[in-house]
């Protein structure tokens, strides 16, 4: 199974409200949902209702040995509460790979600053199934206590063994250690080869990491992207620079675990905005991998690989003019194994209107069905129809789950001469509206299924083997 999913309904918790980003789902004789703060492995099971013979998911993380709970760690000083909140809740990811060539996927779960990331080996269980064993110390990873955001297993040196790259939020003198490179020595053991490697990124928050042989050397180089709390507070500004340090970087693989930061010589100017995951792919059919960089708040960027280690940014000529919270490049679930894959994910695009008091923000909601939630933010089964409405946010607080009654439903926020519209496209039948009293933000969250659908089976759709399912939504910013 392949996904491009950054969020899932399992990321929610009652207190504090989870804004966590969710790592990849993984099929290891089950479906794994890895979230900041813990891990859930969902085993496939049949519904008990003969009339509704669908497969639902049961959390078996503890049963299979994936015992991991991550709490908040210290963060860098921020100019406001929003900056602190995003550092705490942006989430810490996971990496999956067969570290010792036994044919089974092992799992690395990342922790925040001052907390240990944990490596779990996929072992045979006495009942003939699989069980995960914590081998962090034995594997040489016991000292990893950085605020590790993103990790990937990838063969950096052509040995046939997956090495490990961990990208962390880091500034000298700050909480947590730097990003790290680990050489896979075989037999499930890693050696830290960061010192003298040239891989020394700094800044926060790490938004994504991608690998490709962009220069024809036969070695994968590293593209690292950062979400720097830029927020597009001035959409017309050409000097884009976030409140956090850091910018997107390209590290060329020189071989023998040595890297060179070639960002300044690659061509396009370094980007200091809010970036998430990028992908390398040959978009121009010339045999060279280009870079598509998904950005938050501002248009995505496309860097065409010209060869010779250089790229060019064609700007708006590439057609990338949409402004929105991209999060990831694609939202597609493909069932490429022998089992149907459940679809339950969503996005969290947060909006604010600088210079306009929260009470004066105008919220527009379409005609919809409201699903009543309990104190754990889980549906109770009660529903009520709500008419379309438009009015000041005032002192209202939202944390409500809706099912719009019309396709292409629009949720909007306006004020100060601007209007932000979130249009729920095909594949998103549900939406969560979130407007807390403690932050001047409003969030319209497109969702493919209601909260806890993986556990309850309610309105849970499946992708059959050999098929794929895509979901789309659009964010539009206009003058009011």
């Amino acid at each position: 199974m392949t996904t491009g999913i950054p969020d899932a309904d399992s990321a929610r918790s009652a207190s504090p409200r989870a804004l966590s980003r969710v790592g990849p789902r993984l099929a290891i004789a089950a479906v794994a949902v890895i979230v900041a703060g813990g891990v859930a492995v969902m085993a496939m099971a049949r519904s008990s209702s003969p009339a509704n013979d669908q497969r639902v998911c049961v959390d078996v993380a503890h049963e299979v040995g994936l015992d991991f709970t991550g709490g908040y760690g210290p963060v860098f000083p921020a100019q406001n509460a929003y900056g602190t909140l995003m550092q705490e809740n942006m989430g810490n990811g996971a990496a999956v790979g067969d570290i010792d060539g036994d044919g089974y996927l092992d799992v690395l779960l990342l922790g925040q600053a001052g907390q240990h990331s944990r490596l779990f080996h996929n072992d045979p269980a006495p009942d003939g199934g699989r069980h995960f064993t914590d081998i962090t110390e034995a594997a040489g990873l016991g000292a990893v206590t950085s605020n590790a955001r993103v990790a990937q297993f990838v063969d950096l040196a052509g040995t046939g063994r997956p090495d490990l790259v961990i990208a962390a939020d880091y500034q000298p003198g700050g909480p947590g250690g730097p990003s790290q490179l680990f050489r896979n020595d075989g037999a499930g053991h890693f050696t830290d080869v960061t010192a003298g490697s040239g891989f020394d990124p700094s800044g926060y928050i790490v938004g994504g990491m991608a690998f490709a042989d962009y220069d024809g050397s036969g070695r994968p180089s590293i593209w690292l992207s950062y979400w720097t709390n830029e927020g597009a507070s001035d959409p017309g500004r050409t000097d884009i620079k976030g409140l956090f340090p850091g910018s997107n970087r390209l590290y060329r693989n020189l071989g023998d675990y040595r890297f060179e930061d070639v960002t300044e010589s690659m061509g396009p100017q370094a980007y200091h905005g809010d970036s998430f995951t990028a992908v390398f792919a040959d978009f121009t059919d010339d045999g060279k991998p280009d870079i598509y960089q998904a950005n938050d708040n501002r248009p995505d960027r496309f860097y065409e690989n010209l060869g010779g280690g250089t790229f060019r940014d064609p700007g708006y000529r590439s057609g990338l003019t949409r402004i929105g919270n991209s999060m990831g490049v694609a939202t597609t679930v493909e069932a490429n194994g022998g089992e149907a894959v459940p679809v339950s994910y969503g996005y969290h695009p947060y909006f604010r209107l600088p210079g306009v008091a929260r009470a004066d923000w105008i919220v527009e909601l379409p005609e919809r069905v409201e699903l009543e939630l309990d104190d754990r933010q889980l549906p109770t089964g009660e529903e009520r129809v709500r008419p379309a409405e438009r009015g000041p946010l005032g002192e209202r607080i939202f944390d409500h789950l809706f099912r719009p009654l019309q396709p292409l439903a629009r949720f909007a926020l306006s004020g100060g001469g601007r209007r932000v519209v979130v249009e729920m496209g095909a594949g998103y039948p549900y939406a969560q509206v979130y407007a807390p009293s403690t932050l001047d933000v409003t969030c319209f969250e497109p969702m493919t299924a209601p909260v806890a659908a993986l556990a309850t089976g309610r309105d849970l759709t499946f992708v059959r083997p050999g098929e794929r399912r895509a979901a789309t939504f659009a964010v539009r910013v206009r003058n009011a």
Side-chain angles (χ1 to χ4, degrees), residues 420-445:
V420 181
V421 179
V422 179
E423 182 179 277
M424 307 298 174
Y428 287 115
Y430 287 89
Q432 186 96 5
V433 177
Y434 177 57
S437 62
T438 55
L439 287 173
D440 289 346
V441 296
T442 297
C443 182
F444 304 122
E445 308 174 17

Side-chain angles (χ1 to χ4, degrees), residues 34 141 211 241 325 351 368 406 414 427:
I34 302 166
L141 302 179
F211 294 81
K241 187 174 180 60
N325 294 64
F351 305 102
R368 63 210 182 277
Q406 301 294 330
S414 58

Side-chain angles (χ1 to χ4, degrees), residues 367-385:
E367 185 181 14
R368 63 210 182 277
V369 173
E370 179 181 348
L371 284 71
E372 183 180 276
L373 304 177
D374 63 19
D375 58 1
R376 297 178 300 161
Q377 288 293 297
L378 300 178
T380 65
E382 297 294 325
E383 299 183 354
R384 59 181 63 87
V385 176

Side-chain angles (χ1 to χ4, degrees), residues 45 51 93 165-166 180 235 307 310 339 368 383 409 428 466:
V165 183
I166 297 178
Q180 294 170 282
T310 61
E339 297 283 351
R368 63 210 182 277
E383 299 183 354
Y428 287 115

Side-chain angles (χ1 to χ4, degrees), residues 39-399:
V39 60
V41 177
M42 306 298 184
M44 304 297 289
R46 293 282 186 183
S47 167
S48 59
S49 170
N52 185 28
D53 190 18
Q54 288 187 329
R55 297 190 177 193
V56 296
C57 296
V58 178
D59 185 353
V60 296
H62 177 73
E63 180 181 333
V64 300
L66 278 174
D67 291 321
F68 179 87
T69 300
Y72 290 137
V75 298
F76 295 94
Q79 289 86 343
N80 51 46
Y82 180 74
T84 299
L85 177 76
M86 294 307 291
Q87 290 185 71
E88 291 177 338
N89 290 290
M90 187 68 83
N92 301 76
V96 177
D98 180 6
I99 66 172
D100 54 3
D102 66 356
Y104 290 93
L105 296 174
D106 310 298
V107 178
L108 174 71
L109 303 178
L110 303 180
Q112 292 203 1
Q115 302 176 20
H116 290 277
S117 297
R118 313 303 300 181
L119 177 62
F120 294 86
H121 190 263
N122 193 339
D123 293 319
D127 62 1
R130 308 298 299 179
H131 189 274
F132 289 91
T133 304
D134 188 339
I135 62 167
T136 307
E137 300 295 335
L141 302 179
V144 178
T145 57
S146 59
N147 192 356
R149 294 289 184 187
V150 181
Q152 288 196 39
F153 290 106
V154 58
D155 183 1
L156 296 173
T159 64
R161 298 186 297 268
D163 305 300
L164 175 61
V165 183
I166 297 178
D169 291 356
Y170 176 71
Q171 281 285 98
S179 299
Q180 294 170 282
L181 299 178
F182 288 91
R183 182 185 65 228
N184 188 331
D185 300 323
H189 187 272
F190 294 85
T191 296
D192 188 344
V193 293
T194 310
S197 69
F199 182 63
D200 57 355
S202 64
Y204 53 94
I205 302 169
V206 175
M209 182 166 58
F211 294 81
D213 175 17
Y214 78 93
D215 58 358
S217 66
R219 299 180 294 266
S221 295
I222 305 172
W223 175 263
L224 199 61
S225 49
Y226 284 87
W227 190 96
T228 65
N229 196 16
E230 191 266 334
S233 57
D234 181 358
R237 188 176 64 187
T238 57
D239 180 22
I240 300 172
K241 187 174 180 60
L243 298 176
F244 298 159
S247 62
N248 300 346
R249 316 300 297 177
L250 177 61
Y251 288 88
R252 182 187 176 200
N253 190 335
L254 304 178
D256 196 26
Y257 300 100
R258 294 179 298 111
F259 290 81
E260 177 187 7
D261 185 344
V262 295
T263 310
E264 302 305 322
S265 62
M266 67 176 282
Q269 183 179 4
Y271 189 76
H272 297 259
D274 295 333
S275 293
F276 285 106
T277 300
V279 294
F280 280 100
D282 182 9
F283 292 99
T284 56
D285 293 325
D286 62 359
K288 298 185 291 291
D290 311 297
I291 300 172
Y292 186 108
Q293 174 61 66
N295 293 324
D296 206 1
N297 304 305
R298 294 183 181 275
D300 298 341
R301 294 294 179 95
F302 171 65
Y303 303 125
E304 180 184 358
N305 190 337
L306 302 178
T310 61
F311 294 78
R312 76 179 182 100
D313 180 359
Y316 289 121
R317 294 188 302 277
S318 66
L320 298 180
T321 58
R322 185 185 67 83
I323 298 176
N325 294 64
S326 299
M327 304 289 179
V329 173
T331 309
T332 301
V333 178
E334 179 180 355
N336 53 21
E339 297 283 351
V341 177
V343 179
S344 182
Y345 60 85
Y347 283 83
H348 298 291
Y350 285 83
F351 305 102
R352 57 186 173 186
L353 299 173
V356 183
R358 178 189 185 277
D360 296 331
W361 295 357
I362 304 299
V363 174
E364 301 174 43
L365 305 177
E367 185 181 14
R368 63 210 182 277
V369 173
E370 179 181 348
L371 284 71
E372 183 180 276
L373 304 177
D374 63 19
D375 58 1
R376 297 178 300 161
Q377 288 293 297
L378 300 178
T380 65
E382 297 294 325
E383 299 183 354
R384 59 181 63 87
V385 176
R386 298 291 192 188
E389 61 177 293
R390 182 181 188 276
L393 180 58
E395 300 300 319
R396 298 178 70 183
I397 299 173
F398 282 96
D399 201 353

